[in-house]
Amino acid sequence: MAKNTQYEMMILLKEEFNETELKTWAFKYAKKLQNLKASDIAVISRGKQELSYSINDCKRGNFIQINFGSLPKAIEIFSSKLKFDSNVLRFSILNRD
């Protein structure tokens, strides 16, 4: 049986989100991870921050960190969902193992 790998994901979202919308967005994606059999999901809001350079004409963004355990093949599926979300400016997924 395959072992879950621990991942840390950092997501940069557009600035327009208020705190409630940000939580709703983050927990919607946490639910998608859960549906992909991810475990130990932790969502952390890192707040709004100035960007070093503008991305798609955005000078500020909301940072969300999601830590979770998952099988590696689920990462590909989840990444494709993020790529097509127009609110996501950038994201990165790091293997913590």
Side-chain angles (χ1 to χ4, degrees):
M1 185 168 152
K3 177 183 167 277
N4 274 0
T5 304
Q6 294 300 309
Y7 293 98
E8 179 179 306
M9 180 182 340
M10 189 62 79
I11 304 167
L12 172 60
L13 297 169
K14 291 181 177 178
E15 180 184 15
E16 296 92 46
F17 286 95
N18 65 36
E19 197 63 33
T20 305
E21 293 169 333
L22 198 59
K23 285 180 184 177
T24 302
W25 185 95
F27 286 107
K28 176 180 89 172
Y29 275 90
K31 189 73 172 162
K32 288 182 183 191
L33 277 170
Q34 199 172 35
N35 291 340
L36 291 170
K37 308 291 187 245
S39 61
D40 303 322
I41 302 168
V43 178
I44 304 161
S45 175
R46 297 292 180 192
K48 266 183 201 176
Q49 297 180 23
E50 290 287 326
L51 304 178
S52 298
Y53 55 92
S54 66
I55 301 172
N56 297 343
D57 297 325
C58 296
K59 297 186 186 304
R60 292 174 56 85
N62 288 296
F63 286 84
I64 298 286
Q65 178 181 338
I66 303 177
N67 299 332
F68 61 97
S70 176
L71 295 175
K73 81 174 183 182
I75 297 302
E76 293 174 33
I77 297 166
F78 190 72
S79 293
S80 68
K81 292 179 188 307
L82 285 174
K83 286 177 187 173
F84 291 108
D85 187 327
S86 62
N87 295 307
V88 176
L89 298 174
R90 296 277 193 277
F91 71 93
S92 108
I93 302 173
L94 302 173
N95 182 332
R96 295 181 70 201
D97 285 343

XYZ file of all heavy atoms in Angstrom:
794
model
N 0.840 -1.183 0.000
C 0.000 0.000 0.000
C 0.887 1.249 0.000
O 1.870 1.327 0.721
C -0.909 -0.019 1.221
C -1.896 1.097 1.245
S -3.119 0.744 2.523
C -3.561 2.386 2.925
N 0.543 2.220 -0.811
C 1.331 3.445 -0.923
C 1.165 4.305 0.326
O 0.100 4.356 0.925
C 0.915 4.224 -2.151
N 2.226 4.987 0.667
C 2.238 5.848 1.859
C 1.927 7.289 1.458
O 2.386 7.769 0.426
C 3.624 5.757 2.487
C 3.822 6.643 3.694
C 5.255 6.519 4.190
C 5.587 7.581 5.176
N 5.988 8.844 4.614
N 1.157 7.967 2.296
C 0.893 9.386 2.062
C 2.176 10.189 2.256
O 2.914 9.972 3.206
C -0.169 9.918 3.026
C -1.570 9.695 2.531
O -1.777 9.147 1.457
N -2.535 10.098 3.315
N 2.418 11.117 1.341
C 3.540 12.039 1.427
C 3.024 13.349 1.996
O 1.915 13.766 1.686
C 4.123 12.264 0.013
O 4.478 11.000 -0.545
C 5.343 13.149 0.056
N 3.824 14.001 2.825
C 3.429 15.282 3.415
C 3.809 16.422 2.467
O 4.934 16.472 1.973
C 4.102 15.483 4.774
C 3.651 14.501 5.834
C 2.162 14.599 6.090
O 1.629 15.681 6.312
N 1.479 13.474 6.051
N 2.856 17.322 2.250
C 3.060 18.453 1.343
C 2.736 19.761 2.045
O 1.917 19.803 2.971
C 2.154 18.332 0.107
C 2.506 17.178 -0.781
C 1.816 15.977 -0.696
C 3.529 17.281 -1.718
C 2.135 14.907 -1.510
C 3.854 16.221 -2.534
C 3.155 15.033 -2.428
O 3.481 13.981 -3.238
N 3.370 20.824 1.572
C 3.051 22.187 1.988
C 2.779 22.980 0.712
O 3.613 23.014 -0.188
C 4.215 22.801 2.740
C 3.964 24.227 3.179
C 5.134 24.789 3.954
O 5.541 24.159 4.946
O 5.630 25.855 3.552
N 1.619 23.588 0.641
C 1.226 24.352 -0.539
C 1.052 25.810 -0.153
O 0.443 26.125 0.866
C -0.093 23.808 -1.076
C -0.582 24.545 -2.290
S -2.180 23.966 -2.921
C -2.375 22.368 -2.263
N 1.618 26.701 -0.962
C 1.422 28.138 -0.776
C 0.685 28.643 -2.009
O 1.099 28.381 -3.134
C 2.762 28.856 -0.617
C 2.623 30.296 -0.212
S 1.837 30.540 1.377
C 3.163 30.203 2.492
N -0.420 29.337 -1.766
C -1.262 29.830 -2.850
C -1.364 31.345 -2.729
O -1.640 31.870 -1.640
C -2.673 29.208 -2.785
C -2.574 27.678 -2.793
C -3.540 29.706 -3.939
C -3.865 26.983 -2.430
N -1.154 32.038 -3.832
C -1.296 33.493 -3.897
C -2.582 33.799 -4.650
O -2.742 33.418 -5.804
C -0.099 34.117 -4.611
C -0.189 35.610 -4.920
C -0.353 36.421 -3.645
C 1.038 36.045 -5.695
N -3.512 34.455 -3.959
C -4.805 34.806 -4.537
C -4.893 36.304 -4.777
O -4.183 37.086 -4.145
C -5.942 34.416 -3.582
C -6.091 32.937 -3.289
C -7.062 32.726 -2.147
C -6.565 32.211 -4.515
N -5.798 36.697 -5.654
C -6.037 38.119 -5.907
C -6.424 38.829 -4.618
O -6.956 38.227 -3.689
C -7.156 38.283 -6.941
C -6.749 37.829 -8.317
C -7.873 38.044 -9.295
C -7.443 37.645 -10.693
N -8.526 37.804 -11.666
N -6.195 40.130 -4.596
C -6.403 40.936 -3.390
C -7.878 41.139 -3.037
O -8.217 41.373 -1.884
C -5.736 42.302 -3.596
C -5.881 43.226 -2.431
C -5.306 44.598 -2.691
O -5.044 44.937 -3.855
O -5.142 45.331 -1.712
N -8.784 41.038 -4.001
C -10.182 41.426 -3.800
C -10.923 40.681 -2.692
O -11.961 41.124 -2.239
C -11.003 41.231 -5.082
C -10.606 42.081 -6.237
C -9.600 41.387 -7.136
O -9.798 40.206 -7.472
O -8.622 42.037 -7.481
N -10.445 39.547 -2.250
C -11.146 38.749 -1.246
C -11.192 39.461 0.102
O -10.180 39.975 0.571
C -10.440 37.413 -1.030
C -10.630 36.434 -2.143
C -9.703 36.315 -3.155
C -11.740 35.612 -2.158
C -9.875 35.403 -4.173
C -11.921 34.690 -3.175
C -10.986 34.584 -4.179
N -12.382 39.457 0.731
C -12.429 39.865 2.134
C -12.190 38.602 2.971
O -12.061 37.506 2.431
C -13.745 40.577 2.485
C -14.957 39.683 2.364
O -14.912 38.490 2.653
N -16.068 40.251 1.929
N -12.127 38.735 4.277
C -11.768 37.615 5.149
C -12.745 36.434 5.014
O -12.334 35.281 4.953
C -11.698 38.091 6.604
C -10.949 37.151 7.508
C -9.471 36.994 7.141
O -8.861 37.954 6.663
O -8.954 35.891 7.330
N -14.032 36.727 4.928
C -15.045 35.663 4.809
C -14.922 34.937 3.477
O -14.960 33.703 3.437
C -16.466 36.264 4.947
O -16.541 36.986 6.178
C -17.516 35.181 4.921
N -14.762 35.682 2.396
C -14.617 35.066 1.071
C -13.342 34.227 0.999
O -13.324 33.163 0.373
C -14.577 36.137 -0.014
C -15.865 36.882 -0.193
C -15.736 38.105 -1.083
O -14.630 38.692 -1.165
O -16.749 38.468 -1.686
N -12.297 34.703 1.656
C -11.030 33.984 1.672
C -11.181 32.632 2.379
O -10.722 31.602 1.883
C -9.983 34.838 2.374
C -8.530 34.508 2.149
C -8.179 34.586 0.673
C -7.657 35.453 2.937
N -11.856 32.634 3.526
C -12.088 31.388 4.254
C -12.938 30.428 3.441
O -12.659 29.229 3.384
C -12.769 31.668 5.600
C -11.847 32.251 6.625
C -12.575 32.511 7.914
C -11.659 33.189 8.912
N -12.349 33.525 10.151
N -13.976 30.957 2.804
C -14.846 30.122 1.975
C -14.057 29.485 0.844
O -14.178 28.286 0.580
C -16.013 30.961 1.407
O -16.736 31.533 2.499
C -16.941 30.114 0.560
N -13.214 30.280 0.166
C -12.403 29.768 -0.936
C -11.457 28.675 -0.437
O -11.351 27.607 -1.028
C -11.614 30.905 -1.582
C -10.869 30.462 -2.796
C -11.284 30.560 -4.087
C -9.583 29.832 -2.841
N -10.338 30.028 -4.932
C -9.287 29.566 -4.182
C -8.659 29.453 -1.868
C -8.111 28.951 -4.590
C -7.480 28.835 -2.272
C -7.219 28.594 -3.614
N -10.760 28.952 0.660
C -9.761 28.014 1.182
C -10.399 26.699 1.608
O -9.880 25.617 1.315
C -9.018 28.650 2.359
N -11.546 26.770 2.270
C -12.163 25.539 2.739
C -12.834 24.765 1.611
O -12.956 23.552 1.676
C -13.103 25.822 3.906
C -12.327 26.107 5.165
C -12.257 27.386 5.673
C -11.618 25.107 5.802
C -11.512 27.662 6.800
C -10.865 25.370 6.935
C -10.810 26.648 7.440
N -13.198 25.448 0.530
C -13.706 24.750 -0.657
C -12.599 23.872 -1.238
O -12.822 22.711 -1.593
C -14.198 25.760 -1.696
C -14.668 25.118 -3.002
C -15.140 26.158 -3.986
C -13.977 26.618 -4.818
N -14.345 27.490 -5.932
N -11.390 24.425 -1.302
C -10.266 23.649 -1.828
C -9.785 22.590 -0.834
O -9.317 21.523 -1.229
C -9.136 24.566 -2.289
C -9.377 25.026 -3.698
C -10.094 26.185 -3.963
C -8.940 24.277 -4.780
C -10.346 26.585 -5.263
C -9.188 24.666 -6.079
C -9.893 25.827 -6.321
O -10.162 26.213 -7.607
N -9.905 22.857 0.448
C -9.575 21.834 1.442
C -10.521 20.643 1.292
O -10.107 19.480 1.399
C -9.651 22.409 2.850
N -11.780 20.917 0.998
C -12.768 19.856 0.767
C -12.395 19.056 -0.484
O -12.546 17.826 -0.506
C -14.158 20.483 0.624
C -15.267 19.497 0.600
C -15.481 18.923 1.974
C -16.742 18.078 1.968
N -16.774 17.190 3.104
N -11.909 19.741 -1.529
C -11.478 19.036 -2.741
C -10.301 18.115 -2.430
O -10.219 17.004 -2.954
C -11.107 20.024 -3.846
C -12.316 20.714 -4.435
C -11.940 21.657 -5.555
C -13.193 22.361 -6.045
N -13.007 23.094 -7.266
N -9.390 18.578 -1.583
C -8.283 17.722 -1.162
C -8.798 16.513 -0.405
O -8.334 15.388 -0.608
C -7.309 18.506 -0.276
C -6.273 19.354 -0.970
C -5.556 20.236 0.037
C -5.286 18.494 -1.721
N -9.758 16.742 0.455
C -10.343 15.658 1.234
C -10.996 14.628 0.310
O -10.874 13.424 0.535
C -11.369 16.232 2.207
C -11.729 15.342 3.346
C -12.599 16.069 4.348
O -13.427 16.896 3.978
N -12.419 15.774 5.608
N -11.653 15.103 -0.747
C -12.267 14.196 -1.713
C -11.232 13.377 -2.476
O -11.549 12.309 -3.004
C -13.147 14.969 -2.703
C -14.378 15.541 -2.042
O -14.794 15.094 -0.981
N -14.959 16.550 -2.663
N -9.990 13.889 -2.554
C -8.893 13.158 -3.190
C -8.153 12.283 -2.180
O -7.039 11.838 -2.427
C -7.917 14.145 -3.840
C -8.442 14.896 -5.053
C -7.489 16.019 -5.456
C -8.656 13.934 -6.216
N -8.770 12.067 -1.026
C -8.237 11.200 0.041
C -7.014 11.782 0.754
O -6.196 11.045 1.297
C -7.891 9.803 -0.497
C -9.011 9.123 -1.257
C -10.143 8.740 -0.340
C -11.172 7.899 -1.082
N -12.450 8.517 -1.215
N -6.882 13.104 0.749
C -5.810 13.746 1.509
C -6.144 13.675 2.997
O -7.309 13.583 3.381
C -5.638 15.196 1.074
N -5.107 13.717 3.821
C -5.316 13.647 5.274
C -4.547 14.775 5.954
O -3.720 15.441 5.334
C -4.834 12.294 5.791
O -3.458 12.137 5.529
N -4.816 14.950 7.234
C -4.116 15.960 8.045
C -4.092 17.332 7.367
O -3.047 17.973 7.275
C -2.681 15.518 8.353
C -2.629 14.173 9.045
O -3.508 13.917 9.876
O -1.711 13.384 8.743
N -5.240 17.796 6.898
C -5.329 19.067 6.164
C -5.375 20.230 7.149
O -6.222 20.250 8.039
C -6.566 19.079 5.250
C -6.508 17.914 4.274
C -6.683 20.404 4.514
C -7.799 17.669 3.528
N -4.461 21.167 6.993
C -4.424 22.371 7.829
C -4.366 23.590 6.908
O -3.494 23.680 6.054
C -3.216 22.349 8.747
N -5.311 24.511 7.079
C -5.381 25.722 6.263
C -4.961 26.906 7.129
O -5.501 27.117 8.214
C -6.813 25.945 5.716
C -6.888 27.226 4.916
C -7.257 24.750 4.885
N -3.988 27.685 6.636
C -3.468 28.831 7.383
C -3.497 30.051 6.473
O -2.926 30.030 5.386
C -2.013 28.580 7.842
C -1.936 27.288 8.655
C -1.482 29.768 8.629
C -0.550 26.715 8.758
N -4.169 31.103 6.920
C -4.170 32.357 6.161
C -2.947 33.164 6.563
O -2.722 33.425 7.746
C -5.445 33.150 6.458
O -5.382 34.400 5.817
N -2.142 33.538 5.585
C -0.931 34.339 5.836
C -1.168 35.825 5.588
O -0.256 36.626 5.692
C 0.221 33.834 4.974
C 0.633 32.420 5.266
C 1.253 32.348 6.622
N 1.677 30.986 6.943
C 2.034 30.606 8.134
N 2.014 31.459 9.132
N 2.394 29.375 8.358
N -2.408 36.189 5.243
C -2.780 37.589 5.120
C -2.446 38.212 3.774
O -1.904 37.574 2.878
N -2.800 39.507 3.666
C -2.513 40.294 2.455
C -1.112 40.863 2.556
O -0.715 41.362 3.608
C -3.489 41.462 2.340
C -4.677 41.180 1.522
C -5.557 42.396 1.403
C -6.929 41.875 1.035
N -7.945 42.862 0.970
N -0.395 40.808 1.437
C 0.963 41.335 1.427
C 1.248 42.007 0.094
O 0.652 41.671 -0.927
C 1.970 40.213 1.660
C 1.829 39.559 3.016
C 2.834 38.444 3.212
O 3.879 38.410 2.571
N 2.516 37.535 4.116
N 2.170 42.978 0.143
C 2.655 43.615 -1.081
C 3.488 42.599 -1.844
O 4.236 41.820 -1.240
C 3.535 44.821 -0.749
C 2.804 45.994 -0.166
C 1.971 46.735 -1.182
O 2.380 46.804 -2.354
O 0.906 47.229 -0.799
N 3.369 42.604 -3.161
C 4.173 41.722 -3.995
C 5.437 42.450 -4.438
O 5.438 43.673 -4.593
C 3.366 41.278 -5.216
C 2.029 40.590 -4.917
C 1.305 40.258 -6.218
C 2.246 39.334 -4.097
N 6.494 41.723 -4.645
C 7.750 42.312 -5.110
C 7.609 42.888 -6.505
O 8.278 43.845 -6.870
C 8.859 41.266 -5.117
O 9.089 40.792 -3.824
N 6.752 42.272 -7.295
C 6.467 42.739 -8.656
C 5.007 42.436 -8.950
O 4.400 41.566 -8.320
C 7.389 42.063 -9.680
C 7.354 40.556 -9.640
C 6.465 39.850 -10.454
C 8.187 39.838 -8.792
C 6.414 38.469 -10.414
C 8.138 38.454 -8.752
C 7.253 37.776 -9.569
O 7.200 36.407 -9.533
N 4.419 43.160 -9.866
C 2.997 42.944 -10.152
C 2.799 41.668 -10.975
O 3.613 41.340 -11.835
C 2.378 44.149 -10.853
O 2.941 44.314 -12.116
N 1.733 40.979 -10.672
C 1.349 39.758 -11.370
C -0.063 39.985 -11.889
O -0.981 40.235 -11.098
C 1.379 38.537 -10.437
C 2.774 38.349 -9.844
C 0.925 37.283 -11.186
C 2.847 37.298 -8.764
N -0.236 39.939 -13.192
C -1.554 40.199 -13.800
C -2.143 41.515 -13.300
O -3.311 41.580 -12.917
C -2.525 39.054 -13.531
C -2.081 37.750 -14.146
O -1.226 37.726 -15.018
N -2.651 36.663 -13.688
N -1.324 42.537 -13.233
C -1.704 43.878 -12.774
C -2.098 43.935 -11.301
O -2.728 44.896 -10.875
C -2.830 44.460 -13.641
C -2.401 44.644 -15.085
O -1.215 44.968 -15.305
O -3.241 44.470 -15.987
N -1.750 42.941 -10.520
C -2.012 42.952 -9.077
C -0.715 43.276 -8.339
O 0.321 42.687 -8.612
C -2.534 41.595 -8.613
S -4.120 41.134 -9.304
N -0.792 44.238 -7.419
C 0.377 44.635 -6.650
C 0.352 44.081 -5.227
O 1.332 44.137 -4.514
C 0.482 46.158 -6.614
C 0.692 46.760 -7.988
C 0.932 48.240 -7.898
C 1.005 48.917 -9.236
N 1.974 48.399 -10.154
N -0.809 43.568 -4.815
C -0.985 42.936 -3.506
C -1.705 41.610 -3.714
O -2.389 41.416 -4.703
C -1.812 43.812 -2.560
C -1.118 45.082 -2.127
C -2.030 45.990 -1.308
N -2.599 45.361 -0.137
C -2.008 45.275 1.061
N -0.808 45.774 1.226
N -2.602 44.699 2.078
N -1.545 40.714 -2.744
C -2.226 39.433 -2.852
C -2.453 38.812 -1.497
O -1.828 39.190 -0.501
N -3.372 37.865 -1.450
C -3.663 37.087 -0.250
C -2.890 35.778 -0.319
O -2.938 35.083 -1.335
C -5.159 36.759 -0.170
C -5.994 37.952 0.173
O -5.852 38.497 1.251
N -6.858 38.363 -0.734
N -2.208 35.442 0.766
C -1.444 34.203 0.812
C -2.163 33.192 1.700
O -2.553 33.508 2.821
C -0.034 34.456 1.357
C 0.862 35.148 0.386
C 0.848 36.534 0.272
C 1.705 34.426 -0.429
C 1.673 37.183 -0.632
C 2.535 35.062 -1.347
C 2.517 36.438 -1.443
N -2.322 31.983 1.169
C -2.932 30.874 1.899
C -1.927 29.726 1.904
O -1.368 29.384 0.865
C -4.231 30.387 1.201
C -5.278 31.472 1.158
C -4.772 29.128 1.868
C -5.951 31.746 2.469
N -1.729 29.131 3.068
C -0.873 27.954 3.172
C -1.757 26.771 3.528
O -2.608 26.870 4.424
C 0.183 28.159 4.255
C 1.090 26.974 4.457
C 2.097 27.221 5.565
O 2.408 28.359 5.910
N 2.618 26.144 6.123
N -1.581 25.652 2.829
C -2.323 24.429 3.136
C -1.303 23.306 3.293
O -0.531 23.029 2.384
C -3.338 24.069 2.031
C -4.317 25.221 1.796
C -4.095 22.793 2.410
C -5.305 24.986 0.667
N -1.304 22.684 4.464
C -0.453 21.522 4.732
C -1.345 20.290 4.706
O -2.461 20.316 5.244
C 0.217 21.644 6.097
C 1.119 22.851 6.199
O 1.660 23.314 5.207
N 1.263 23.379 7.397
N -0.852 19.208 4.110
C -1.666 17.994 4.012
C -0.799 16.799 3.656
O 0.343 16.943 3.229
C -2.773 18.174 2.971
C -2.270 18.449 1.575
C -2.145 17.429 0.658
C -1.928 19.737 1.196
C -1.677 17.686 -0.624
C -1.466 20.002 -0.085
C -1.332 18.973 -0.999
N -1.362 15.619 3.841
C -0.734 14.379 3.422
C -1.561 13.790 2.292
O -2.794 13.803 2.352
N -0.895 13.282 1.260
C -1.618 12.771 0.100
C -0.731 11.827 -0.695
O 0.488 11.849 -0.572
C -2.058 13.934 -0.781
O -2.682 13.465 -1.947
N -1.374 11.045 -1.545
C -0.632 10.247 -2.509
C -0.147 11.177 -3.613
O -0.848 12.117 -3.980
C -1.522 9.155 -3.097
C -2.004 8.097 -2.111
C -2.980 7.153 -2.786
C -0.829 7.329 -1.525
N 1.039 10.940 -4.165
C 1.588 11.843 -5.186
C 0.692 12.031 -6.411
O 0.640 13.134 -6.962
C 2.911 11.176 -5.568
C 3.303 10.421 -4.341
C 2.009 9.938 -3.748
N -0.042 11.020 -6.834
C -0.855 11.184 -8.047
C -2.018 12.164 -7.836
O -2.487 12.774 -8.780
C -1.342 9.849 -8.585
C -2.548 9.280 -7.924
C -3.018 8.036 -8.639
C -4.277 7.541 -7.978
N -4.785 6.339 -8.543
N -2.463 12.358 -6.595
C -3.543 13.310 -6.308
C -3.071 14.748 -6.494
O -3.874 15.638 -6.772
C -4.069 13.105 -4.891
N -1.764 14.982 -6.377
C -1.205 16.330 -6.540
C -1.430 16.836 -7.957
O -1.773 17.995 -8.168
C 0.295 16.341 -6.185
C 0.492 15.979 -4.722
C 0.921 17.692 -6.480
C -0.217 16.865 -3.746
N -1.257 15.970 -8.939
C -1.481 16.363 -10.339
C -2.917 16.801 -10.568
O -3.178 17.806 -11.226
C -1.139 15.204 -11.272
C 0.319 14.851 -11.308
C 0.560 13.606 -12.141
O -0.169 13.391 -13.131
O 1.490 12.862 -11.785
N -3.851 16.050 -10.027
C -5.275 16.367 -10.181
C -5.586 17.695 -9.510
O -6.242 18.564 -10.087
C -6.144 15.239 -9.584
C -5.908 13.936 -10.341
C -7.619 15.616 -9.585
C -6.447 12.707 -9.649
N -5.082 17.877 -8.288
C -5.354 19.104 -7.541
C -4.708 20.314 -8.218
O -5.313 21.382 -8.306
C -4.868 18.959 -6.095
C -5.326 20.069 -5.219
C -6.656 20.168 -4.837
C -4.438 21.026 -4.788
C -7.090 21.210 -4.033
C -4.865 22.068 -3.985
C -6.188 22.154 -3.607
N -3.491 20.159 -8.715
C -2.803 21.257 -9.405
C -3.584 21.723 -10.615
O -3.674 22.920 -10.885
C -1.413 20.817 -9.848
O -0.595 20.587 -8.751
N -4.168 20.797 -11.348
C -4.934 21.190 -12.539
C -6.164 22.003 -12.157
O -6.551 22.916 -12.874
C -5.315 19.972 -13.371
O -6.243 19.168 -12.693
N -6.769 21.711 -11.006
C -7.910 22.500 -10.537
C -7.478 23.931 -10.212
O -8.165 24.891 -10.536
C -8.551 21.852 -9.312
C -9.241 20.530 -9.593
C -9.822 19.952 -8.323
C -10.350 18.553 -8.481
N -11.285 18.335 -9.528
N -6.311 24.079 -9.590
C -5.808 25.408 -9.239
C -5.431 26.215 -10.481
O -5.648 27.425 -10.527
C -4.594 25.298 -8.319
C -4.869 24.915 -6.879
C -3.561 24.707 -6.137
C -5.711 25.954 -6.181
N -4.870 25.547 -11.481
C -4.440 26.246 -12.703
C -5.604 26.919 -13.416
O -5.433 27.945 -14.051
C -3.758 25.268 -13.658
C -2.386 24.877 -13.235
C -1.795 23.852 -14.183
C -0.482 23.337 -13.633
N 0.057 22.225 -14.421
N -6.796 26.343 -13.296
C -7.954 26.889 -14.003
C -8.799 27.829 -13.145
O -9.821 28.318 -13.596
C -8.813 25.755 -14.569
C -8.130 25.029 -15.680
C -7.652 23.750 -15.499
C -7.932 25.652 -16.900
C -7.000 23.084 -16.528
C -7.283 25.002 -17.937
C -6.815 23.712 -17.753
N -8.359 28.108 -11.922
C -9.076 29.047 -11.056
C -8.545 30.450 -11.344
O -7.368 30.743 -11.127
C -8.864 28.683 -9.592
C -9.709 29.504 -8.650
O -9.972 30.690 -8.947
O -10.113 28.966 -7.608
N -9.408 31.332 -11.818
C -8.982 32.681 -12.208
C -8.568 33.543 -11.011
O -7.941 34.587 -11.188
C -10.094 33.377 -12.986
O -11.239 33.525 -12.173
N -8.883 33.139 -9.790
C -8.491 33.891 -8.596
C -7.061 33.591 -8.151
O -6.496 34.317 -7.352
C -9.446 33.591 -7.439
C -10.834 34.085 -7.729
O -11.023 35.244 -8.068
N -11.812 33.210 -7.625
N -6.487 32.507 -8.654
C -5.145 32.086 -8.264
C -4.120 32.776 -9.163
O -4.146 32.622 -10.380
C -4.995 30.551 -8.357
C -3.572 30.134 -8.040
C -5.976 29.864 -7.429
N -3.229 33.537 -8.541
C -2.154 34.184 -9.292
C -0.952 33.249 -9.437
O -0.361 33.152 -10.500
C -1.727 35.482 -8.599
C -2.798 36.565 -8.482
C -2.289 37.722 -7.639
C -3.221 37.040 -9.860
N -0.585 32.594 -8.362
C 0.533 31.650 -8.356
C 0.276 30.614 -7.262
O -0.409 30.883 -6.287
C 1.857 32.333 -8.021
C 2.327 33.362 -8.996
C 3.042 32.709 -10.162
N 3.767 33.655 -10.974
C 3.240 34.392 -11.927
N 1.963 34.334 -12.170
N 3.983 35.206 -12.646
N 0.899 29.456 -7.403
C 0.902 28.480 -6.322
C 2.141 27.610 -6.437
O 2.728 27.485 -7.502
C -0.373 27.621 -6.313
C -0.485 26.639 -7.443
C -0.041 25.341 -7.297
C -1.043 27.014 -8.642
C -0.143 24.438 -8.342
C -1.161 26.128 -9.683
C -0.702 24.835 -9.535
N 2.538 27.059 -5.312
C 3.660 26.136 -5.317
C 3.378 25.037 -4.289
O 2.794 25.297 -3.236
C 4.961 26.882 -5.034
O 5.472 26.635 -3.793
N 3.778 23.820 -4.625
C 3.562 22.674 -3.761
C 4.918 22.066 -3.467
O 5.669 21.705 -4.371
C 2.639 21.631 -4.417
C 1.302 22.257 -4.766
C 2.452 20.430 -3.482
C 0.376 21.379 -5.567
N 5.250 21.973 -2.185
C 6.539 21.439 -1.758
C 6.346 20.104 -1.038
O 5.425 19.958 -0.226
C 7.240 22.405 -0.802
C 7.496 23.805 -1.324
C 8.030 24.690 -0.213
C 8.444 23.763 -2.493
N 7.226 19.168 -1.328
C 7.235 17.874 -0.638
C 7.973 18.085 0.683
O 9.125 18.499 0.687
C 7.957 16.870 -1.531
C 7.984 15.486 -0.937
O 7.950 15.324 0.259
N 8.066 14.504 -1.807
N 7.324 17.799 1.794
C 7.930 18.024 3.118
C 8.653 16.803 3.655
O 9.250 16.854 4.719
C 6.864 18.467 4.098
C 6.280 19.819 3.710
C 5.251 20.282 4.686
N 5.892 20.629 5.936
C 5.261 20.691 7.096
N 3.984 20.432 7.172
N 5.900 21.018 8.184
N 8.555 15.667 2.955
C 9.233 14.457 3.427
C 10.705 14.489 3.120
O 11.203 15.085 2.232
C 8.612 13.209 2.795
C 7.269 12.883 3.439
O 6.983 13.391 4.532
O 6.515 12.097 2.827
